[in-house]
Amino acid sequence: MKHQEEPSEGNLTELREFVLLGFADIPRLQWFLFGLFLVIYIIILLGNGTIFLITKLDATLQTPMYFFLANFSFLEICYASVTIPRILINLGTQRRRISLVACATQMYFVLMLGGTECFLLAVMAYDRYVAICDPLHYSLVMSQKMCLQLVAGSYISGIPIDIGQTFQIFSLSFCRSNRINHFFCDIPPILKLACEDTFVNEMLLYIAAMLFVMGPFLLILCSYTKIICTIFKLPSTTNRAKAFSTCSSHLMVVVLFYGSAMITYLTPKTSHSSGTDKMLSLFYTIVTPMFNPMIYSLRNKDVIMALRKFLGK
């Protein structure tokens, strides 16, 4: 593959487009990366699509837990579809240019879907908390109306902030370069291109990360603290093992997603390189959606049984 000619770094205040460098620093692996990301994208679509279908079609999976899992799988498909198609286009054509509007749109959907994933993971933890700590009132608390409200709230609660943050970022003047050292339009690498003071933007990003990342994470932490205390009080070893098994898959996804997201958005930008930023971003935008179906299907007997019935039709 031939490299696209680099743009000049003159005065780019009247910027009309960016260049997503992505993985341009490893030119010999462009086609290998194209094939790798294509396979990963197909796995994400097939895996999460299958989880979504079986939780909708199988009568034994019509419970709040699987309702949230279906929405989570749908969300993972959307989240991956915001970044991977652009990566494939850039790797396949070497035309890494992206318009200002397309970049802002991508940033908004990454923020919105990422925030939704944080809230939805907290909702799933709350569902397990009610199921284990207050099982007698579970069907009353987690009614169909409540489940719909929790999912809808997860999607729409962050929209005004995400729109405002995206608008504020793209109201800046960019005069250093138009080359984004990343594979999608993320806030930290774009702020590095601004020719004015970005302290306010960085503080707002930190506050938003505290609200959207740390807030739900603390709710998850509180839920699992109470869940673990309740599980240890169960008299039967079998009941304890069963209770732990319903939470272990969710915990694995939480650690994978929140671990990389918190390091990216809640640590000083000088503490890690752009290469580290890319690697961390790969985890919460691509790796988590890829492993989500495997984690939930391999560790869940109900999903395995439903999958066997689905494939046997």
Side-chain angles (χ1 to χ4, degrees):
M1 285 189 174
K2 293 182 180 180
H3 285 293
Q4 186 177 331
E5 186 177 338
E6 298 286 358
S8 61
E9 295 190 21
N11 190 335
L12 299 175
T13 305
E14 299 299 324
L15 194 64
R16 291 291 177 268
E17 62 181 12
F18 287 111
V19 176
L20 287 169
L21 295 181
F23 306 97
D25 53 336
I26 41 177
R28 294 182 180 180
L29 296 179
Q30 298 295 288
W31 281 115
F32 169 77
L33 290 173
F34 178 86
L36 178 63
F37 282 112
L38 180 61
V39 170
I40 289 174
Y41 190 45
I42 292 171
I43 291 172
I44 290 171
L45 294 179
L46 291 178
N48 287 285
T50 302
I51 294 287
F52 180 81
L53 280 176
I54 63 174
T55 51
K56 293 297 182 182
L57 299 176
D58 194 282
T60 62
L61 302 182
Q62 303 307 306
T63 63
M65 182 175 78
Y66 295 111
F67 172 74
F68 295 132
L69 178 58
N71 280 276
F72 188 71
S73 294
F74 173 75
L75 181 64
E76 295 285 50
I77 291 174
C78 296
Y79 201 26
S81 297
V82 173
T83 55
I84 298 182
R86 172 61 63 175
I87 294 173
L88 294 174
I89 291 171
N90 293 346
L91 289 170
T93 65
Q94 293 297 289
R95 293 178 62 84
R96 298 187 173 89
R97 296 180 182 274
I98 181 171
S99 70
L100 201 68
V101 173
C103 191
T105 302
Q106 186 185 52
M107 177 184 287
Y108 165 73
F109 279 107
V110 167
L111 292 175
M112 190 271 284
L113 294 171
T116 302
E117 187 156 337
C118 290
F119 287 127
L120 196 54
L121 285 170
V123 167
M124 294 169 78
Y126 176 69
D127 171 70
R128 292 299 82 210
Y129 160 74
V130 178
I132 294 171
C133 300
D134 193 12
L136 296 178
H137 297 96
Y138 180 70
S139 58
L140 182 65
V141 175
M142 301 306 293
S143 63
Q144 185 178 15
K145 181 180 178 181
M146 174 60 75
C147 292
L148 289 171
Q149 288 174 341
L150 288 171
V151 170
S154 297
Y155 273 96
I156 67 176
S157 56
I159 288 178
I161 296 175
D162 296 330
I163 291 175
Q165 195 160 40
T166 303
F167 178 79
Q168 188 180 47
I169 294 296
F170 284 88
S171 297
L172 295 170
S173 297
F174 301 97
C175 57
R176 294 177 182 173
S177 172
N178 70 338
R179 296 193 291 255
I180 302 173
N181 194 8
H182 214 300
F183 58 87
F184 71 93
C185 292
D186 200 11
I187 294 178
I190 290 181
L191 285 180
K192 293 178 181 179
L193 307 181
C195 54
E196 55 193 88
D197 185 24
T198 59
F199 176 77
V200 174
N201 301 87
E202 290 169 18
M203 286 298 100
L204 290 174
L205 173 61
Y206 185 78
I207 293 170
M210 290 294 291
L211 289 173
F212 287 98
V213 180
M214 281 304 297
F217 181 73
L218 290 175
L219 291 175
I220 293 171
L221 200 61
C222 290
S223 296
Y224 275 106
T225 300
K226 293 186 177 181
I227 287 171
I228 292 170
C229 291
T230 302
I231 288 175
F232 280 123
K233 292 177 183 178
L234 295 176
S236 169
T237 305
T238 304
N239 289 339
R240 286 199 294 269
K242 185 178 179 181
F244 269 122
S245 68
T246 63
C247 302
S248 58
S249 299
H250 180 256
L251 273 173
M252 290 174 69
V253 175
V254 166
V255 170
L256 194 62
F257 179 79
Y258 274 96
S260 53
M262 285 193 289
I263 295 173
T264 300
Y265 292 106
L266 292 175
T267 56
K269 64 180 182 177
T270 55
S271 63
H272 40 81
S273 65
S274 57
T276 305
D277 283 336
K278 292 180 193 177
M279 187 62 65
L280 291 169
S281 297
L282 282 172
F283 269 92
Y284 66 82
T285 59
I286 296 174
V287 175
T288 301
M290 181 178 67
F291 281 111
N292 171 50
M294 304 177 199
I295 292 171
Y296 277 104
S297 61
L298 293 177
R299 300 184 62 85
N300 190 304
K301 292 180 181 180
D302 293 333
V303 173
I304 292 173
M305 291 298 294
L307 186 58
R308 285 175 179 171
K309 286 193 290 183
F310 178 76
L311 295 176
K313 289 182 178 180

